[in-house]
């Protein structure tokens, strides 16, 4: 019998406190403030110290936007997951499997259908946690499917962008999604249905260069980055210092690229007002102040 391992160690384990969870606190990337994660979630992932808008999980965003947090998730089309048999430091197929396990998402977009202010809508939202929200063939097919559902049901289409751009592992097939998604949202607009583009941090690359900037109305979250190339790349190319706040939502609003900049907690009410105006429908009053879940 080993006295230290059989008696002393179990005694110590009984009197010591449980290990602290590694996700108990979240550090604000803007001001560095340590935020209690549960309080951060209650505040819609907005920093209570500096009001910085952190990345918002897709399902929590859906719960915030849809009436009574009720919505129907639409399955993404099933496509060949590695059309080019791409491999860098890791096989693309293995990379996809690891991100699916980590995020619970099939790919970098999720589609939901439900009522916002009593008005039925289709919402396609990017998941930045899945490979930086990069747009590959599945994401492109997702936008096309969301547009098809909107046109068949005469629903407004809302896209919520959060992406670094095209997915390099799919090469030219990824770049083709820019044209496909642009054509898809144009079908919605040609039928006279509203297409509202919500821009969140970040909206860049091929996403901003395609459907994300083709909305009837562009609504951006406060302080989010919107652009094509990164600010550092632009500065190195033109060899000039960019203005303060360049590529931020407020800067783009001042220069006519964005129509409305809103705080995240005001996004739902803003969408309800915009949708009701564009569809000529009166929103249900009892759904205007649903508590965020």
């Amino acid at each position: 019998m080993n006295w230290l391992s059989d008696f002393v160690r179990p005694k110590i384990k009984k009197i010591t406190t449980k290990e602290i969870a590694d996700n108990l606190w979240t550090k604000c990337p803007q001001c560095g403030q340590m935020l209690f994660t549960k309080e951060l979630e209650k505040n819609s992932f907005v920093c209570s110290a500096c009001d910085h808008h952190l990345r918002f999980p897709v399902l929590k965003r859906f719960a915030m936007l849809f009436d009574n947090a009720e919505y129907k998730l639409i399955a993404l089309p099933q496509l060949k997951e590695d059309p080019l048999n791409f491999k860098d430091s890791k096989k693309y197929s293995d990379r996809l499997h690891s991100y699916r396990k980590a995020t619970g998402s099939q790919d970098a977009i999720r589609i939901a259908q439900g009522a916002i202010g009593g008005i039925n809508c289709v919402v396609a939202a990017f998941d930045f946690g899945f490979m930086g929200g990069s747009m590959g063939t599945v994401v492109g097919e997702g936008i096309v499917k969301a547009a098809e559902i909107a046109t068949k049901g005469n629903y407004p289409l809302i896209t919520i962008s959060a992406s670094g751009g095209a997915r390099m592992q799919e090469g030219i097939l990824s770049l083709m999604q820019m044209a496909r998604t642009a054509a898809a949202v144009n079908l919605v607009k040609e039928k006279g249905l509203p297409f509202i583009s919500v821009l969140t941090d970040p909206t860049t690359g091929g996403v901003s260069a395609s459907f994300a900037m083709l909305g009837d109305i562009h609504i951006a979250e406060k302080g989010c980055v919107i652009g094509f190339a990164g600010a550092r790349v632009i500065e190195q190319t033109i060899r000039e210092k960019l203005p303060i706040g360049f590529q931020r939502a407020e800067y783009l609003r001042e220069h006519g690229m964005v129509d409305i900049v809103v705080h995240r907690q005001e996004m739902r009410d803003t969408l309800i007002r915009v949708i009701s105006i564009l569809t000529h429908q009166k929103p249900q009053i009892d759904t205007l102040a649903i508590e965020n879940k």
Side-chain angles (χ1 to χ4, degrees):
M1 176 180 179
N2 189 316
W3 182 76
L4 287 175
S5 61
D6 295 344
F7 181 77
V8 177
R9 187 176 296 170
K11 279 286 185 180
I12 293 176
K13 286 183 177 181
K14 287 183 180 180
I15 63 174
T16 54
T17 58
K18 294 182 180 179
E19 293 183 3
I20 299 174
D22 56 3
N23 62 346
L24 188 62
W25 297 90
T26 301
K27 184 178 180 179
C28 174
Q30 182 72 25
C31 67
Q33 179 73 28
M34 295 301 295
L35 307 168
F36 190 43
T37 302
K38 287 186 177 180
E39 293 298 324
L40 183 63
E41 292 179 358
K42 290 181 181 179
N43 202 34
S44 302
F45 286 81
V46 176
C47 177
S48 56
C50 69
D51 212 34
H52 175 70
H53 288 40
L54 284 76
R55 304 269 160 75
F56 202 12
V58 174
L59 296 183
K60 291 185 180 296
R61 187 182 291 276
F62 283 161
M64 182 185 75
L65 292 179
F66 287 106
D67 297 348
N68 302 313
E70 296 176 354
Y71 55 89
K72 175 186 176 183
L73 284 174
I74 307 298
L76 293 176
Q78 295 293 324
L79 301 176
K80 187 176 181 180
E81 65 178 26
D82 189 3
L84 303 180
N85 294 320
F86 189 90
K87 180 180 180 182
D88 43 46
S89 60
K90 187 177 182 180
K91 286 185 178 180
Y92 178 41
S93 56
D94 293 340
R95 200 178 294 276
L96 287 173
H97 293 158
S98 62
Y99 274 104
R100 286 169 183 163
K101 184 177 180 180
T103 64
S105 298
Q106 181 66 20
D107 212 284
I109 197 168
R110 288 203 176 192
I111 308 168
Q113 182 180 350
I116 301 177
I119 302 171
N120 287 320
C121 300
V122 178
V123 181
F126 278 72
D127 183 355
F128 191 81
F130 195 107
M131 297 188 72
S134 53
M135 182 167 68
T137 53
V138 175
V139 171
E141 285 291 338
I143 298 291
V144 171
K145 185 169 186 177
E148 290 175 347
I149 295 172
T151 53
K152 289 179 181 179
N154 290 319
Y155 304 136
L157 174 63
I158 302 170
T159 59
I160 304 175
S161 303
S163 174
R167 186 172 296 175
M168 70 169 193
Q169 289 88 347
E170 296 186 17
I172 190 64
L173 297 176
S174 177
L175 296 178
M176 289 169 60
Q177 305 314 309
M178 296 172 63
R180 297 191 72 245
T181 55
V185 299
N186 278 332
L187 289 176
V188 176
K189 298 167 74 173
E190 287 173 4
K191 196 171 180 181
L193 299 169
F195 168 47
I196 301 168
S197 179
V198 176
L199 311 170
T200 70
D201 187 65
T203 299
T204 57
V207 170
S208 65
S210 56
F211 70 91
M213 299 307 292
L214 296 176
D216 297 311
I217 299 289
H218 296 145
I219 305 175
E221 282 191 340
K222 177 183 175 182
C224 70
V225 172
I226 305 167
F228 181 67
R232 184 173 57 184
V233 174
I234 296 172
E235 285 186 337
Q236 291 174 348
T237 302
I238 65 175
R239 298 183 180 180
E240 292 184 13
K241 191 69 176 176
L242 296 173
I244 297 175
F246 181 77
Q247 291 186 328
R248 294 288 176 179
E250 293 76 7
Y251 184 92
L252 269 69
R253 179 184 57 189
E254 292 174 3
H255 291 79
M257 294 295 289
V258 167
D259 299 299
I260 308 172
V261 176
V262 298
H263 194 281
R264 179 173 292 160
Q265 294 175 346
E266 299 172 357
M267 181 64 74
R268 172 180 153 81
D269 288 345
T270 301
L271 280 173
I272 290 174
R273 287 194 294 270
V274 170
I275 295 168
S276 64
I277 292 170
L278 294 179
T279 60
H280 306 287
Q281 297 183 54
K282 187 176 181 180
Q284 294 181 10
I285 302 300
D286 59 347
T287 63
L288 289 177
I290 297 296
E291 183 180 356
N292 294 341
K293 295 186 179 180

